[in-house]
Amino acid sequence: MKPPKKSELRRLAVSLRVPPGSTVRLPGDRDPGHASPGITEAQAVEALAETARLLADYQSRLAAQDEFGVAVVIQGLDASGKDGAIKNVMSGVNPAGVNVHSFKVPSAEELSHDYLWRYAQKLPRRGEIAIFNRSHYEEVLVVRVHPELLVKQHLPAAARGHDVWKRRFHEINEWERYLNDNGIKVVKIFLNLSKDEQRRRFLDRIDHPAKNWKFSAADVRERQSWDDYQAAFSEVLSNTSTAWAPWYVVPADHKWFARLAVAAIVIDELARIDPKFPTVSKETADALKAARDALVAEGPVTPPVADTKKHHGKGHGKHL
């Protein structure tokens, strides 16, 4: 299979984008079992390996330009494949330029601040990519499904009123606009898993001892709120997919397709930024040339040790 073209990755990403202002009603509006026609699992796995090269190149340019940061938000229900997507999509990038943050139950310190505070602490610096495994959207998802959690946030009574979710949608949209205006691009991905596939994955975790650690009884309790979560995600997608930070809904029933789709989305967003290696001034270029001339004048440049082995006999190659 030929390496995927950027135009092909863009078409895939665009097909999964939620148009700003549109209404999404899950599960009917988006098929969790969808996969692009004409592509097999083997082809998707091969294409995913090729995307690693593109991601590595973009990451190098992003770091060198030192102007933009990228926050990749990955949301999804339990067993939707968040960890696997992060591991497989970002496997080829430089760890020094990527940070992964998993947001669990907030601590007492975090609950003593505004609800966006703990997420703001983990935003990427310019030139970096930050991945949020769950994110600030938990504040309009899990907190909405379990409104008793609002009490633990020490909010004034007026802030817990009937319009709290509408206000939070507005606040999140404006926060993301602020980040975008300051060079921090927010890329939002929802891994859309079907109820049947979640059940199959839960059973797989229970039936295989090596996977038992992934399962918690709390997962089954949360599954009982499936319909409430579908409604909450529908509201999030409908109210917070904006021109500056659109949502992408990735069908997650087929892990191989979901991972390729996530890679396509991240690459396309980086392509839209189009970071470039900085060019040096004439004075710097002249200084570099003078430094090179001085180094060359010292004498012939010997090849690296690894290369010299190619020119020796077999017996020499055995020595370290």
Side-chain angles (χ1 to χ4, degrees), residues 101-156:
H101 307 287
S102 297
F103 293 98
K104 306 295 184 182
V105 176
S107 66
E109 168 70 11
E110 291 166 340
L111 289 171
S112 294
H113 292 270
D114 65 272
Y115 72 92
L116 290 175
W117 180 81
R118 68 169 177 160
Y119 308 102
Q121 309 306 304
K122 303 301 182 181
L123 288 169
R125 295 181 294 182
R126 302 188 193 282
E128 291 185 346
I129 298 173
I131 301 174
F132 286 6
N133 185 342
R134 300 185 186 271
S135 69
H136 49 293
Y137 282 95
E138 294 292 282
E139 308 298 334
V140 287
L141 288 168
V142 66
V143 179
R144 185 167 189 171
V145 173
H146 301 285
E148 66 274 12
L149 296 176
L150 279 174
V151 178
K152 295 183 178 181
Q153 294 184 351
H154 309 293
L155 296 171

Side-chain angles (χ1 to χ4, degrees), residues 81-243:
K82 298 182 291 296
D83 291 334
I86 294 169
K87 176 183 176 180
N88 286 272
V89 172
M90 308 303 292
S91 61
V93 299
N94 183 348
V98 178
N99 294 296
V100 179
H101 307 287
S102 297
F103 293 98
K104 306 295 184 182
V105 176
S107 66
E109 168 70 11
E110 291 166 340
L111 289 171
S112 294
H113 292 270
D114 65 272
Y115 72 92
L116 290 175
W117 180 81
R118 68 169 177 160
Y119 308 102
Q121 309 306 304
K122 303 301 182 181
L123 288 169
R125 295 181 294 182
R126 302 188 193 282
E128 291 185 346
I129 298 173
I131 301 174
F132 286 6
N133 185 342
R134 300 185 186 271
S135 69
H136 49 293
Y137 282 95
E138 294 292 282
E139 308 298 334
V140 287
L141 288 168
V142 66
V143 179
R144 185 167 189 171
V145 173
H146 301 285
E148 66 274 12
L149 296 176
L150 279 174
V151 178
K152 295 183 178 181
Q153 294 184 351
H154 309 293
L155 296 171
R160 302 196 302 269
H162 68 280
D163 64 341
V164 60
W165 310 120
K166 181 179 179 180
R167 285 190 289 104
R168 286 196 173 189
F169 290 150
H170 173 73
E171 290 159 358
I172 289 172
N173 286 341
E174 290 306 304
W175 186 57
E176 291 174 350
R177 186 203 293 268
Y178 164 80
L179 295 176
N180 183 75
D181 290 347
N182 283 273
I184 306 300
K185 181 66 178 175
V186 182
V187 182
K188 303 184 301 195
I189 300 170
F190 167 50
L191 297 179
N192 186 26
L193 186 70
S194 70
K195 193 173 185 179
D196 284 346
E197 179 61 16
Q198 186 193 57
R199 182 169 72 100
R200 190 197 67 76
R201 293 182 186 180
F202 279 172
L203 288 170
D204 185 59
R205 291 179 178 184
I206 294 171
D207 293 341
H208 291 82
K211 298 182 180 181
N212 287 171
W213 65 273
K214 293 184 177 182
F215 186 77
S216 167
D219 297 339
V220 174
R221 290 197 297 270
E222 284 297 277
R223 180 176 166 82
Q224 295 172 3
S225 301
W226 180 273
D227 291 341
D228 293 333
Y229 274 109
Q230 294 298 298
F233 270 112
S234 296
E235 288 292 315
V236 164
L237 297 171
S238 300
N239 287 279
T240 62
S241 191
T242 59

Side-chain angles (χ1 to χ4, degrees), residues 272-283:
R272 292 176 187 277
I273 294 173
D274 193 22
K276 301 183 184 301
F277 290 110
T279 56
V280 299
S281 65
K282 183 179 184 304
E283 291 77 9

